[in-house]
Amino acid sequence: MTNEKIPYKIYLEETEMPKYWYNVRADMKTKPAPLLNPGTGKPMTAEELSQVFCTELVAQELNNTDRLIPIPQEILDFYKMYRPSPLVRAYCLEKQLQTPAKIYYKFEGNNTSGSHKLNSAIAQAYYAKQQGLKGITTETGAGQWGTALSMACSYFGLDCKVFMVKVSYEQKPFRREVMRTYGASVTPSPSTETAVGRKILEEFPGTNGSLGCAISEAVEAAVTRPGYRYVLGSVLAQVLLHQSVIGMETKAALDKYGIKPDIIIGCAGGGSNLGGLISPFMGEKLRGEADYRFIAVEPASCPSLTRGKYVYDFCDTGKVCPLAKMYTLGSGFMPAPNHAGGLRYHGMSSILSELYDEGLMEATSVKQTDVFAAAEQFARVEGILPAPESSHAIRVAIDEALKCKETGEEKTIVFGLTGTGYFDLYAYQKFHDGQMDDYIPTDEEIAKSLAKTPKLS
Amino acid sequence: MTNEKIPYKIYLEETEMPKYWYNVRADMKTKPAPLLNPGTGKPMTAEELSQVFCTELVAQELNNTDRLIPIPQEILDFYKMYRPSPLVRAYCLEKQLQTPAKIYYKFEGNNTSGSHKLNSAIAQAYYAKQQGLKGITTETGAGQWGTALSMACSYFGLDCKVFMVKVSYEQKPFRREVMRTYGASVTPSPSTETAVGRKILEEFPGTNGSLGCAISEAVEAAVTRPGYRYVLGSVLAQVLLHQSVIGMETKAALDKYGIKPDIIIGCAGGGSNLGGLISPFMGEKLRGEADYRFIAVEPASCPSLTRGKYVYDFCDTGKVCPLAKMYTLGSGFMPAPNHAGGLRYHGMSSILSELYDEGLMEATSVKQTDVFAAAEQFARVEGILPAPESSHAIRVAIDEALKCKETGEEKTIVFGLTGTGYFDLYAYQKFHDGQMDDYIPTDEEIAKSLAKTPKLS
């Protein structure tokens, strides 16, 4: 079908939807470093992990060998409600840029959670239900993950307890209300509900909270309640596995029209979207079957890949989680308060960290005013109001397309449009009012934060 | 293809998308009553209308004869960015209701404007651009129409001036911000920018504004600026014409799988969504080719069809617009302040009014707490967070499906899901907090408001 006209949106038929998640670790020669027990310094066993996480998810977390993992039928049925997501040819953006490049974006905002996070949320809720659990706990920052998990839990009739970073809880009351609509309970973090929350509040009274704090609280809430487990929306290998549905669909849609991308771009906070999008393409690259450029785009205010160190570090502020080897800015690192949107985690998925370290993937960082300028430009021609996170990828896609304009190259660029910006209009407003600035951490600040990583690696 | 399994979502291929709007007036034996000049009491001429509206749109407004009107290529190209919209089989809702009914919804919320309003906004902006205008003015209440028009104007490089009902402007700052992202200027109404606004402010200092006021201001702003025209997002025949793309796609998708609906349900404020959804089906009914039940659902707090009178009335508060014959509650009617969401216009499209008056369509009204209960129920199983407006249709679709459960009938129900509720979470919050009540206007209130309709009909 190579010569067929490429439609604006490539939809797959239900029958063309992927039935497997793709596990990129199976094709990696050097596997990502294992999670370590912070007490013993030894790799976490399945038994240890199962006290915090659902049993089947632990198995997925530790599975470095199976390339394809069947998606259970009930998850496939849920996916059918909002997937396949469209792969859109950005004809209007191309025209505006007057670029010979061909730009495609995989749009994951077409579900009420408003982002790609639902792909893993429904999987994690499913396995929790299978295990006979009563409920699950989690943290949320910008709110995309909490929203997605609330939806998923509502679908399976699971209790859902969300610790929401306090500053987001207060600034985004509507995010909280969506979660409530889906029946979740939402607690601003740090809270007095957990020992670790009380300790943090004692040490930093009046703190606005952080993702690291909220993780600590959610983990404690899970392990101290019978019938509960903790779930996480990014960073972990299992999450990248579930998110591979994005990449599998993208590849199937491109293959359907005989299109081979040159550059694949994704925003990167913990790595869930980027990891999912690139997985099957990276597999081809690892197996020597094809070559692609992969670009991770991170905020200049939280540049874990581009300015962090590849070491073992704590995943949370309260240090109750296992240690992960990752590009990190140090678990105490906090992006400047004026940083809008998500992508504010101090570390990066161990899988992506390893791929980046081996030179299989590039990374770049962008300033947030440049990001919002790209967001607005994109919205005006392509219609979709993008999330700030997604707009990091838009920025670099536009920049790459403009390079093609200079060189005359007809490159094919694919980027992940992870979600919509309906709950981020406060940030858009700041941008419009000229009140948004770009704080970039100094080398000293990063070094100071990195000095506190544990001495293990 | 009758026996093929019905997918969760029926998408049409780009090549299957309708290339024509369907003009239901061509099949109506009794044509809708013409707009009248309030000064002379005579039908408005094309010349008179062209001082307010774009020339080509006036032609469409007066066209009672052409059944199919070709959609210009540039509009088709824009439609391709977000259309065809999915027709979704509500398998999960059916399962939850344990109904033998088959429920489908046509989901129009998959674009950044978040609603079906974009279908007409892009058409109206296109004709304004073709006419060489500099810009257009409009009003918006809940904000869906203003958002859609801002997007459309941004696409065609037109100036867009929106008068937003003051109470919405203040309660929905993020709606305003979306419009700003698309480059529109947004003025809270009533304002001191227009003579009619100043007059209203003088008479009612501290007023929260109303759709009727905002229409008057937008019309004045258009006729007093060279190169500007006024556009309206509902009520008019041209709007129903553009919105027929919803019904045309729905019919094409159902025909593709050999499905014949028994009941077609839509929410009704001014009538744009309902009119668009039912048009081609109503055409079959008018031509005696098929029979369907059509149900218009309106809020109990603004019941123009179910409790209004079918007479000529003013379209706006300032009485600067032509008179329209319609089911109306009187141009001074205001729904109770606790009424959430849109569907608050005092009158109903002349086309739908005529069809209803002839008994070709049913109408019912629902209380808002029942509407939000249906919205939440739907969200939890189907995933989509519906707009309050759309949830009126959900309420009645659920009620009809539950009747089928009692009788055992396997009816096929189709309803219009016009948009998403991301900007209505304040109302959801009130519902969750038990602070939402149901005010239903008394007969006396309606009679008092109706007493002021002009003595013409």
Side-chain angles (χ1 to χ4, degrees):
Chain A
M1 299 176 66
T2 318
N3 293 321
E4 205 172 305
K5 160 133 179 29
I6 311 298
Y8 271 73
K9 290 185 294 188
I10 307 180
Y11 278 110
L12 299 173
E13 302 286 326
E14 243 176 59
T15 51
E16 296 169 317
M17 280 176 68
K19 306 223 166 8
Y20 296 86
W21 289 308
Y22 168 70
N23 182 7
V24 72
R25 289 166 289 169
D27 283 312
M28 290 170 71
K29 270 176 216 138
T30 308
K31 307 297 179 193
L35 295 169
L36 296 187
N37 182 318
T40 64
K42 286 187 185 158
M44 293 286 288
T45 63
E47 203 188 330
E48 286 171 328
L49 286 168
S50 297
Q51 288 162 26
V52 178
F53 299 106
C54 302
T55 316
E56 185 57 33
L57 291 167
V58 169
Q60 292 181 355
E61 193 64 30
L62 299 176
N63 186 339
N64 283 341
T65 49
D66 295 328
R67 182 175 286 135
L68 293 175
I69 296 185
I71 306 174
Q73 189 58 45
E74 286 192 62
I75 299 176
L76 282 176
D77 285 344
F78 187 89
Y79 278 170
K80 283 179 197 165
M81 291 203 293
Y82 70 99
R83 308 201 66 82
S85 73
L87 182 71
V88 185
R89 173 78 182 266
Y91 281 115
C92 299
L93 180 63
E94 290 172 18
K95 194 175 156 195
Q96 195 200 40
L97 298 174
Q98 297 186 285
T99 174
K102 297 175 185 69
I103 309 174
Y104 293 85
Y105 55 90
K106 179 71 169 167
F107 181 44
E108 292 289 321
N110 266 4
N111 66 71
T112 286
S113 87
S115 81
H116 70 292
K117 294 284 185 185
L118 192 55
N119 303 326
S120 184
I122 194 64
Q124 299 197 40
Y126 168 78
Y127 291 116
K129 186 72 184 176
Q130 287 294 302
Q131 195 173 330
L133 296 179
K134 199 178 151 200
I136 46 187
T137 71
T138 198
E139 76 295 324
T140 199
Q144 292 185 337
W145 169 245
T147 304
L149 194 70
S150 305
M151 264 181 81
C153 285
S154 154
Y155 184 77
F156 284 123
L158 282 168
D159 186 37
C160 180
K161 182 147 189 59
V162 181
F163 289 87
M164 185 170 188
V165 177
K166 198 176 159 207
V167 59
S168 294
Y169 183 89
E170 284 164 1
Q171 281 182 2
K172 294 187 167 187
F174 294 159
R175 266 286 178 207
R176 184 184 72 210
E177 214 52 48
V178 178
M179 294 185 243
R180 224 171 144 200
T181 300
Y182 291 107
S185 84
V186 188
T187 306
S189 166
S191 76
T192 55
E193 280 187 28
T194 64
V196 66
R198 289 188 292 272
K199 194 177 152 209
I200 290 166
L201 280 172
E202 204 171 296
E203 203 170 338
F204 307 99
T207 174
N208 280 327
S210 74
L211 215 48
C213 295
I215 294 175
S216 302
E217 286 206 87
V219 170
E220 182 184 320
V223 298
T224 54
R225 274 162 214 244
Y228 279 76
R229 288 295 184 280
Y230 166 73
V231 300
L232 182 63
S234 190
V235 183
L236 296 175
Q238 60 188 265
V239 179
L240 269 69
L241 176 70
H242 306 146
Q243 295 295 358
S244 71
V245 70
I246 305 173
M248 295 288 271
E249 279 185 13
T250 303
K251 193 160 179 339
L254 291 172
D255 286 349
K256 192 170 170 179
Y257 288 90
I259 303 158
K260 190 190 163 295
D262 299 293
I263 311 175
I264 302 176
I265 301 166
C267 62
S272 70
N273 145 68
L274 178 70
L277 174 64
I278 69 173
S279 273
F281 300 96
M282 182 62 85
E284 288 188 302
K285 184 165 176 165
L286 289 164
R287 297 192 302 270
E289 297 165 6
D291 195 19
Y292 305 99
R293 275 183 71 198
F294 302 106
I295 309 178
V297 189
E298 52 186 21
S301 54
C302 193
S304 57
L305 283 174
T306 49
R307 296 178 65 197
K309 235 166 89 183
Y310 190 32
V311 293
Y312 267 103
D313 196 6
F314 299 106
C315 291
D316 63 327
T317 310
K319 303 178 182 178
V320 300
C321 291
L323 299 174
K325 188 174 176 193
M326 53 188 179
Y327 274 87
T328 178
L329 297 160
S331 65
F333 182 85
M334 292 277 292
N338 67 20
H339 171 80
L343 310 181
R344 45 171 69 238
Y345 188 64
H346 65 275
M348 181 61 64
S349 137
S350 291
I351 293 176
L352 293 182
S353 292
E354 178 59 28
L355 292 168
Y356 177 63
D357 200 56
E358 293 180 32
L360 290 157
M361 181 179 90
E362 305 166 32
T364 186
S365 74
V366 287
K367 290 188 292 184
Q368 71 175 348
T369 50
D370 293 338
V371 165
F372 276 84
E376 189 163 280
Q377 181 178 6
F378 181 82
R380 291 188 182 186
V381 289
E382 288 290 322
I384 293 166
L385 184 81
E389 296 82 4
S390 325
S391 305
H392 287 71
I394 297 176
R395 173 75 272 159
V396 173
I398 289 176
D399 292 344
E400 289 293 332
L402 289 175
K403 282 184 205 163
C404 289
K405 185 178 174 179
E406 279 181 28
T407 61
E409 289 173 289
E410 293 185 23
K411 285 187 183 163
T412 296
I413 300 169
V414 174
F415 72 89
L417 189 69
T418 56
T420 51
Y422 296 105
F423 294 103
D424 300 285
L425 284 156
Y426 180 66
Y428 272 93
Q429 186 175 345
K430 284 210 296 184
F431 173 68
H432 293 144
D433 293 344
Q435 289 166 0
M436 178 176 278
D437 50 31
D438 298 303
Y439 182 78
I440 300 174
T442 62
D443 289 342
E444 291 68 32
E445 282 169 312
I446 292 177
K448 194 177 156 195
S449 167
L450 277 171
K452 293 179 188 159
T453 52
K455 309 297 165 210
L456 279 165
S457 56
Chain B
M1 302 177 66
T2 317
N3 292 322
E4 204 171 306
K5 161 134 177 27
I6 311 298
Y8 271 73
K9 289 185 294 187
I10 308 179
Y11 277 110
L12 300 172
E13 302 286 326
E14 243 176 59
T15 51
E16 296 169 317
M17 279 176 68
K19 305 224 168 6
Y20 296 87
W21 290 308
Y22 169 70
N23 182 7
V24 72
R25 288 167 289 168
D27 283 312
M28 289 170 72
K29 270 176 215 138
T30 307
K31 305 298 178 193
L35 296 169
L36 297 187
N37 181 319
T40 64
K42 288 186 183 158
M44 293 287 286
T45 63
E47 203 189 329
E48 285 171 329
L49 286 168
S50 297
Q51 288 163 26
V52 178
F53 299 106
C54 301
T55 316
E56 186 57 34
L57 292 167
V58 169
Q60 292 182 355
E61 192 65 29
L62 299 175
N63 187 339
N64 282 340
T65 49
D66 295 328
R67 181 176 286 134
L68 293 174
I69 295 183
I71 306 174
Q73 188 58 46
E74 285 191 62
I75 299 176
L76 283 176
D77 284 344
F78 188 90
Y79 278 171
K80 284 178 196 164
M81 290 203 294
Y82 70 99
R83 308 201 67 84
S85 74
L87 181 72
V88 186
R89 174 78 182 264
Y91 282 114
C92 299
L93 180 62
E94 290 171 18
K95 194 176 157 194
Q96 195 201 39
L97 298 174
Q98 297 185 288
T99 176
K102 296 175 184 70
I103 308 174
Y104 293 86
Y105 54 92
K106 179 70 169 169
F107 181 45
E108 292 288 322
N110 266 3
N111 65 71
T112 287
S113 87
S115 81
H116 70 292
K117 295 284 186 184
L118 193 54
N119 302 327
S120 184
I122 194 64
Q124 298 197 41
Y126 168 79
Y127 291 118
K129 186 71 181 175
Q130 286 295 301
Q131 195 173 332
L133 296 178
K134 199 178 150 198
I136 47 187
T137 71
T138 200
E139 76 294 325
T140 200
Q144 291 185 337
W145 170 246
T147 304
L149 194 69
S150 306
M151 265 181 81
C153 285
S154 155
Y155 183 76
F156 283 123
L158 282 167
D159 185 38
C160 181
K161 183 149 188 57
V162 181
F163 289 88
M164 185 171 188
V165 177
K166 199 176 159 205
V167 59
S168 294
Y169 183 90
E170 284 163 0
Q171 280 183 1
K172 295 187 166 186
F174 294 160
R175 265 289 177 204
R176 185 183 69 210
E177 214 52 48
V178 179
M179 294 184 243
R180 226 170 141 199
T181 301
Y182 290 107
S185 84
V186 188
T187 306
S189 166
S191 76
T192 54
E193 280 187 29
T194 64
V196 67
R198 288 189 293 273
K199 194 179 151 206
I200 290 165
L201 280 172
E202 205 170 295
E203 202 171 339
F204 308 99
T207 176
N208 280 327
S210 74
L211 214 47
C213 296
I215 294 175
S216 301
E217 287 205 271
V219 170
E220 183 185 320
V223 297
T224 54
R225 274 163 214 245
Y228 278 75
R229 288 295 185 280
Y230 166 73
V231 300
L232 182 63
S234 190
V235 182
L236 296 176
Q238 60 188 266
V239 179
L240 270 69
L241 176 69
H242 307 147
Q243 295 296 356
S244 71
V245 69
I246 304 173
M248 296 286 273
E249 279 185 13
T250 304
K251 191 156 183 339
L254 291 172
D255 286 349
K256 192 170 169 179
Y257 288 92
I259 304 159
K260 190 191 162 295
D262 298 294
I263 310 175
I264 302 176
I265 300 167
C267 62
S272 70
N273 144 69
L274 178 70
L277 174 64
I278 69 173
S279 274
F281 300 96
M282 181 61 86
E284 288 189 304
K285 184 165 177 167
L286 288 164
R287 296 191 303 270
E289 297 165 7
D291 196 18
Y292 305 98
R293 274 182 72 198
F294 301 106
I295 308 178
V297 190
E298 51 186 20
S301 55
C302 193
S304 57
L305 283 175
T306 49
R307 296 179 65 198
K309 234 166 89 182
Y310 189 33
V311 292
Y312 267 103
D313 196 7
F314 299 105
C315 291
D316 63 327
T317 309
K319 304 179 182 177
V320 300
C321 290
L323 299 174
K325 189 175 177 192
M326 53 187 180
Y327 274 86
T328 177
L329 297 161
S331 65
F333 182 84
M334 293 276 292
N338 67 20
H339 171 80
L343 311 181
R344 46 170 69 238
Y345 188 63
H346 65 275
M348 180 61 64
S349 139
S350 292
I351 293 175
L352 292 182
S353 292
E354 179 59 30
L355 293 168
Y356 177 64
D357 200 56
E358 293 181 31
L360 290 157
M361 181 179 90
E362 304 167 32
T364 187
S365 74
V366 287
K367 289 189 293 186
Q368 71 175 347
T369 50
D370 293 338
V371 165
F372 276 84
E376 189 163 280
Q377 181 178 5
F378 181 83
R380 290 189 181 184
V381 289
E382 288 290 322
I384 293 168
L385 184 81
E389 297 81 3
S390 325
S391 305
H392 288 70
I394 297 175
R395 173 75 273 159
V396 173
I398 289 176
D399 291 345
E400 289 293 331
L402 290 174
K403 282 184 204 162
C404 290
K405 185 178 176 179
E406 279 182 26
T407 61
E409 289 173 288
E410 292 184 23
K411 285 188 183 163
T412 296
I413 299 169
V414 174
F415 72 88
L417 189 68
T418 56
T420 50
Y422 295 105
F423 293 102
D424 301 285
L425 284 155
Y426 180 66
Y428 272 93
Q429 186 176 344
K430 283 212 297 185
F431 173 69
H432 294 143
D433 292 343
Q435 288 167 0
M436 178 176 278
D437 50 30
D438 298 304
Y439 182 78
I440 300 175
T442 63
D443 289 342
E444 291 67 32
E445 281 169 310
I446 292 177
K448 194 176 156 195
S449 168
L450 277 172
K452 292 179 189 161
T453 51
K455 308 298 165 210
L456 277 167
S457 54

